[in-house]
Amino acid sequence: KQEVTQIPAALSVPEGENLVLNCSFTDSAIYNLQWFRQDPGKGLTSLLLIQSSQREQTSGRLNASLDKSSGRSTLYIAASQPGDSATYLCVIRDNYGQNFVFGPGTRLSVLP
Amino acid sequence: NAGVMQNPRHLVRRRGQEARLRCSPMKGHSHVYWYRQLPEEGLKFMVYLQKENIIDESGMPKERFSAEFPKEGPSILRIQQVVRGDSAAYFCASSPGQVEAFFGQGTRLTVV
Protein backbone atom coordinates (compact mmCIF):
# COMPACT_ATOMS: atom_id res chain seq x y z
CA LYS A 1 0.00 0.00 0.00
CA GLN A 2 1.39 3.35 -1.06
CA GLU A 3 2.12 5.81 1.73
CA VAL A 4 3.13 9.40 1.23
CA THR A 5 4.85 11.60 3.80
CA GLN A 6 5.85 15.24 3.64
CA ILE A 7 8.53 17.08 5.55
CA PRO A 8 8.41 19.54 7.15
CA ALA A 9 4.83 19.62 8.38
CA ALA A 10 5.04 23.39 8.73
CA LEU A 11 7.52 26.00 7.62
CA SER A 12 7.77 29.71 8.28
CA VAL A 13 10.26 31.80 6.31
CA PRO A 14 10.91 35.48 5.61
CA GLU A 15 10.01 36.80 2.22
CA GLY A 16 12.63 36.31 -0.47
CA GLU A 17 14.05 33.03 0.73
CA ASN A 18 14.44 30.01 -1.50
CA LEU A 19 12.92 26.93 0.04
CA VAL A 20 12.49 23.21 -0.50
CA LEU A 21 9.52 21.05 0.40
CA ASN A 22 10.03 17.30 0.57
CA CYS A 23 7.77 14.41 -0.33
CA SER A 24 8.55 10.72 0.21
CA PHE A 25 6.64 7.69 -0.99
CA THR A 26 7.02 4.03 -0.18
CA ASP A 27 6.27 2.37 -3.51
CA SER A 28 8.30 3.47 -6.51
CA ALA A 29 5.76 2.04 -8.97
CA ILE A 30 4.05 5.33 -9.57
CA TYR A 31 2.25 6.60 -12.63
CA ASN A 32 2.71 10.26 -11.87
CA LEU A 33 3.21 12.74 -9.06
CA GLN A 34 1.39 16.02 -8.71
CA TRP A 35 1.99 19.01 -6.45
CA PHE A 36 -1.00 21.06 -5.35
CA ARG A 37 -1.49 24.08 -3.18
CA GLN A 38 -4.48 24.56 -0.96
CA ASP A 39 -5.41 27.90 0.49
CA PRO A 40 -7.39 27.98 3.76
CA GLY A 41 -11.01 27.20 3.10
CA LYS A 42 -10.39 26.84 -0.60
CA GLY A 43 -9.96 24.09 -3.16
CA LEU A 44 -6.83 22.58 -4.59
CA THR A 45 -4.79 24.21 -7.31
CA SER A 46 -2.53 22.03 -9.41
CA LEU A 47 1.01 23.39 -9.57
CA LEU A 48 3.11 20.80 -11.34
CA LEU A 49 2.65 17.30 -12.71
CA ILE A 50 5.60 14.95 -13.18
CA GLN A 51 5.09 11.75 -15.15
CA SER A 52 6.96 8.69 -13.95
CA SER A 53 9.36 8.92 -16.91
CA GLN A 54 10.28 12.52 -16.11
CA ARG A 55 12.85 13.88 -13.67
CA GLU A 56 11.58 17.40 -13.16
CA GLN A 57 9.09 20.07 -14.17
CA THR A 58 9.33 23.83 -13.92
CA SER A 59 6.73 26.56 -13.83
CA GLY A 60 7.80 30.10 -13.05
CA ARG A 61 9.42 30.17 -9.62
CA LEU A 62 8.52 26.54 -8.97
CA ASN A 63 10.59 23.50 -9.78
CA ALA A 64 9.65 19.95 -8.87
CA SER A 65 11.96 16.98 -9.13
CA LEU A 66 11.26 13.28 -9.01
CA ASP A 67 13.56 10.42 -8.02
CA LYS A 68 11.53 7.24 -8.21
CA SER A 69 14.33 4.93 -7.12
CA SER A 70 14.69 6.71 -3.80
CA GLY A 71 10.97 7.43 -3.47
CA ARG A 72 11.38 11.19 -3.27
CA SER A 73 10.16 14.39 -4.80
CA THR A 74 11.06 17.94 -3.93
CA LEU A 75 9.28 21.17 -4.65
CA TYR A 76 11.63 24.12 -4.89
CA ILE A 77 10.19 27.62 -4.52
CA ALA A 78 12.49 30.45 -5.48
CA ALA A 79 12.30 33.96 -4.05
CA SER A 80 9.30 33.19 -1.85
CA GLN A 81 6.50 35.73 -1.50
CA PRO A 82 3.72 36.18 1.07
CA GLY A 83 1.28 35.04 -1.60
CA ASP A 84 2.97 31.65 -1.57
CA SER A 85 1.58 31.03 1.92
CA ALA A 86 -0.60 27.93 1.67
CA THR A 87 -0.56 24.20 2.30
CA TYR A 88 1.37 22.27 -0.32
CA LEU A 89 0.24 18.74 -1.06
CA CYS A 90 2.15 15.98 -2.79
CA VAL A 91 -0.15 13.50 -4.54
CA ILE A 92 0.84 10.16 -6.04
CA ARG A 93 -1.02 8.22 -8.66
CA ASP A 94 0.26 4.68 -8.56
CA ASN A 95 0.25 1.92 -11.11
CA TYR A 96 -1.91 -0.41 -9.07
CA GLY A 97 -4.90 1.59 -7.99
CA GLN A 98 -7.03 4.05 -9.78
CA ASN A 99 -7.08 6.72 -7.17
CA PHE A 100 -4.65 9.30 -5.85
CA VAL A 101 -2.74 9.05 -2.58
CA PHE A 102 -2.29 12.32 -0.75
CA GLY A 103 0.53 13.37 1.51
CA PRO A 104 -0.42 15.20 4.71
CA GLY A 105 0.86 18.50 3.36
CA THR A 106 3.37 21.16 4.33
CA ARG A 107 1.88 24.35 5.74
CA LEU A 108 4.00 27.26 4.47
CA SER A 109 3.96 30.77 5.86
CA VAL A 110 6.00 33.43 4.10
CA LEU A 111 6.38 36.49 6.29
CA PRO A 112 6.59 39.96 4.73
CA ASN B 1 -13.64 24.54 -20.96
CA ALA B 2 -14.89 25.21 -17.46
CA GLY B 3 -13.13 23.50 -14.60
CA VAL B 4 -14.62 20.93 -12.29
CA MET B 5 -17.79 22.43 -10.89
CA GLN B 6 -19.10 21.52 -7.50
CA ASN B 7 -22.33 22.74 -5.99
CA PRO B 8 -23.39 23.90 -3.66
CA ARG B 9 -20.25 25.53 -2.30
CA HIS B 10 -21.70 25.59 1.18
CA LEU B 11 -24.41 23.34 2.55
CA VAL B 12 -25.99 23.39 5.98
CA ARG B 13 -28.08 20.45 7.12
CA ARG B 14 -29.71 19.53 10.39
CA ARG B 15 -28.92 16.18 11.93
CA GLY B 16 -30.96 13.46 10.29
CA GLN B 17 -31.44 15.26 6.98
CA GLU B 18 -30.01 14.22 3.66
CA ALA B 19 -27.15 15.97 1.90
CA ARG B 20 -26.67 15.79 -1.86
CA LEU B 21 -23.41 17.05 -3.29
CA ARG B 22 -22.97 17.51 -7.01
CA CYS B 23 -19.88 17.38 -9.15
CA SER B 24 -19.75 18.19 -12.85
CA PRO B 25 -16.44 16.97 -14.29
CA MET B 26 -14.51 18.82 -16.95
CA LYS B 27 -15.70 18.27 -20.49
CA GLY B 28 -14.40 15.00 -21.84
CA HIS B 29 -13.50 13.59 -18.43
CA SER B 30 -15.07 10.25 -17.62
CA HIS B 31 -13.29 9.60 -14.32
CA VAL B 32 -14.56 11.17 -11.10
CA TYR B 33 -13.12 10.92 -7.60
CA TRP B 34 -14.56 12.07 -4.31
CA TYR B 35 -12.45 13.04 -1.31
CA ARG B 36 -13.32 14.21 2.17
CA GLN B 37 -11.29 16.61 4.23
CA LEU B 38 -12.17 16.72 7.89
CA PRO B 39 -11.21 19.84 9.85
CA GLU B 40 -7.45 20.05 10.34
CA GLU B 41 -6.90 16.78 8.47
CA GLY B 42 -5.71 15.76 5.03
CA LEU B 43 -7.79 14.61 2.12
CA LYS B 44 -9.05 11.06 2.30
CA PHE B 45 -10.19 9.06 -0.70
CA MET B 46 -13.82 8.04 -0.71
CA VAL B 47 -14.84 6.71 -4.09
CA TYR B 48 -13.76 6.48 -7.71
CA LEU B 49 -16.36 6.32 -10.46
CA GLN B 50 -16.52 6.11 -14.20
CA LYS B 51 -19.69 6.68 -16.16
CA GLU B 52 -22.41 4.45 -14.65
CA ASN B 53 -19.85 2.40 -12.73
CA ILE B 54 -18.33 2.46 -9.27
CA ILE B 55 -14.73 1.38 -9.69
CA ASP B 56 -13.43 1.69 -6.14
CA GLU B 57 -15.47 2.60 -3.09
CA SER B 58 -13.01 1.38 -0.51
CA GLY B 59 -12.97 4.76 1.23
CA MET B 60 -16.72 5.12 1.56
CA PRO B 61 -18.35 4.55 4.93
CA LYS B 62 -20.53 1.45 4.71
CA GLU B 63 -23.62 3.16 6.05
CA ARG B 64 -25.48 6.27 4.86
CA PHE B 65 -23.08 7.21 2.04
CA SER B 66 -23.60 6.51 -1.64
CA ALA B 67 -22.29 7.87 -4.91
CA GLU B 68 -23.30 7.71 -8.52
CA PHE B 69 -22.11 9.00 -11.86
CA PRO B 70 -24.94 8.56 -14.34
CA LYS B 71 -24.60 8.48 -18.08
CA GLU B 72 -26.01 12.00 -18.21
CA GLY B 73 -25.57 14.66 -15.60
CA PRO B 74 -23.26 15.26 -12.69
CA SER B 75 -21.84 12.86 -10.18
CA ILE B 76 -23.76 12.85 -6.92
CA LEU B 77 -22.46 12.10 -3.45
CA ARG B 78 -25.38 11.41 -1.17
CA ILE B 79 -25.25 11.32 2.60
CA GLN B 80 -28.37 10.13 4.36
CA GLN B 81 -29.27 10.96 7.96
CA VAL B 82 -26.33 13.27 8.42
CA VAL B 83 -24.55 13.50 11.76
CA ARG B 84 -22.23 16.18 13.12
CA GLY B 85 -19.21 14.06 12.26
CA ASP B 86 -20.08 14.37 8.58
CA SER B 87 -19.21 18.07 8.70
CA ALA B 88 -16.27 18.42 6.33
CA ALA B 89 -15.16 19.70 2.98
CA TYR B 90 -15.96 17.31 0.16
CA PHE B 91 -13.83 17.59 -2.95
CA CYS B 92 -14.42 16.13 -6.34
CA ALA B 93 -11.74 15.58 -8.96
CA SER B 94 -11.96 14.53 -12.57
CA SER B 95 -9.54 13.23 -15.13
CA PRO B 96 -9.74 11.86 -18.67
CA GLY B 97 -7.76 8.82 -17.63
CA GLN B 98 -4.54 8.09 -15.81
CA VAL B 99 -3.23 11.58 -16.21
CA GLU B 100 -3.50 14.90 -14.43
CA ALA B 101 -6.35 15.35 -11.98
CA PHE B 102 -8.35 18.52 -11.72
CA PHE B 103 -10.13 19.40 -8.53
CA GLY B 104 -13.26 21.36 -7.85
CA GLN B 105 -13.50 24.06 -5.21
CA GLY B 106 -15.24 21.73 -2.80
CA THR B 107 -18.52 21.68 -0.94
CA ARG B 108 -18.37 22.59 2.71
CA LEU B 109 -20.97 20.66 4.60
CA THR B 110 -21.97 21.82 8.05
CA VAL B 111 -24.30 19.68 10.12
CA VAL B 112 -26.06 21.53 12.91
Side-chain angles (χ1 to χ4, degrees):
Chain A
K1 180 186 172 185
Q2 179 74 269
E3 293 183 2
V4 182
T5 55
Q6 290 186 244
I7 295 173
L11 182 63
S12 184
V13 300
E15 182 177 5
E17 277 203 5
N18 302 323
L19 50 98
V20 176
L21 309 183
N22 297 291
C23 171
S24 298
F25 46 95
T26 55
D27 189 339
S28 63
I30 70 170
Y31 194 86
N32 62 42
L33 183 148
Q34 204 166 349
W35 282 93
F36 290 87
R37 70 174 278 170
Q38 185 177 26
D39 295 277
K42 301 286 182 61
L44 290 92
T45 302
S46 180
L47 299 173
L48 290 164
L49 170 72
I50 311 177
Q51 300 291 354
S52 64
S53 58
Q54 297 175 325
R55 298 282 295 187
E56 67 176 341
Q57 285 287 325
T58 298
S59 176
R61 293 182 295 107
L62 305 178
N63 174 277
S65 67
L66 173 64
D67 184 344
K68 282 198 310 179
S69 61
S70 65
R72 292 182 182 177
S73 175
T74 60
L75 178 67
Y76 176 82
I77 303 176
S80 58
Q81 303 170 358
D84 295 330
S85 298
T87 296
Y88 289 80
L89 296 163
C90 169
V91 182
I92 298 283
R93 186 160 201 174
D94 62 36
N95 284 335
Y96 305 122
Q98 295 291 328
N99 66 58
F100 301 83
V101 182
F102 284 79
T106 293
R107 192 171 300 179
L108 172 66
S109 295
V110 181
L111 306 174
Chain B
N1 188 4
V4 177
M5 304 301 293
Q6 289 189 247
N7 66 81
R9 292 291 306 278
H10 300 274
L11 181 62
V12 179
R13 284 287 178 266
R14 294 185 185 279
R15 280 180 296 170
Q17 290 185 320
E18 178 180 288
R20 291 171 69 88
L21 288 63
R22 295 175 182 77
C23 169
S24 296
M26 290 180 69
K27 187 177 181 181
H29 289 193
S30 58
H31 301 240
V32 166
Y33 311 79
W34 285 93
Y35 291 81
R36 177 166 64 174
Q37 187 174 37
L38 294 168
E40 302 303 320
E41 293 189 16
L43 282 94
K44 302 293 184 188
F45 168 76
M46 298 183 74
V47 61
Y48 162 48
L49 311 103
Q50 292 183 22
K51 284 285 187 182
E52 300 184 278
N53 286 304
I54 296 175
I55 307 301
D56 181 354
E57 56 182 348
S58 57
M60 285 273 277
K62 296 289 188 286
E63 308 283 334
R64 304 186 296 107
F65 285 72
S66 63
E68 63 176 6
F69 188 16
K71 186 176 181 181
E72 301 291 336
S75 175
I76 306 289
L77 179 67
R78 182 180 175 207
I79 311 172
Q80 294 178 289
Q81 299 176 318
V82 296
V83 300
R84 287 227 171 97
D86 297 331
S87 295
Y90 292 82
F91 290 94
C92 164
S94 76
S95 73
Q98 284 191 317
V99 288
E100 188 172 8
F102 296 84
F103 280 79
Q105 292 299 299
T107 293
R108 276 148 187 84
L109 172 66
T110 302
V111 179
V112 297

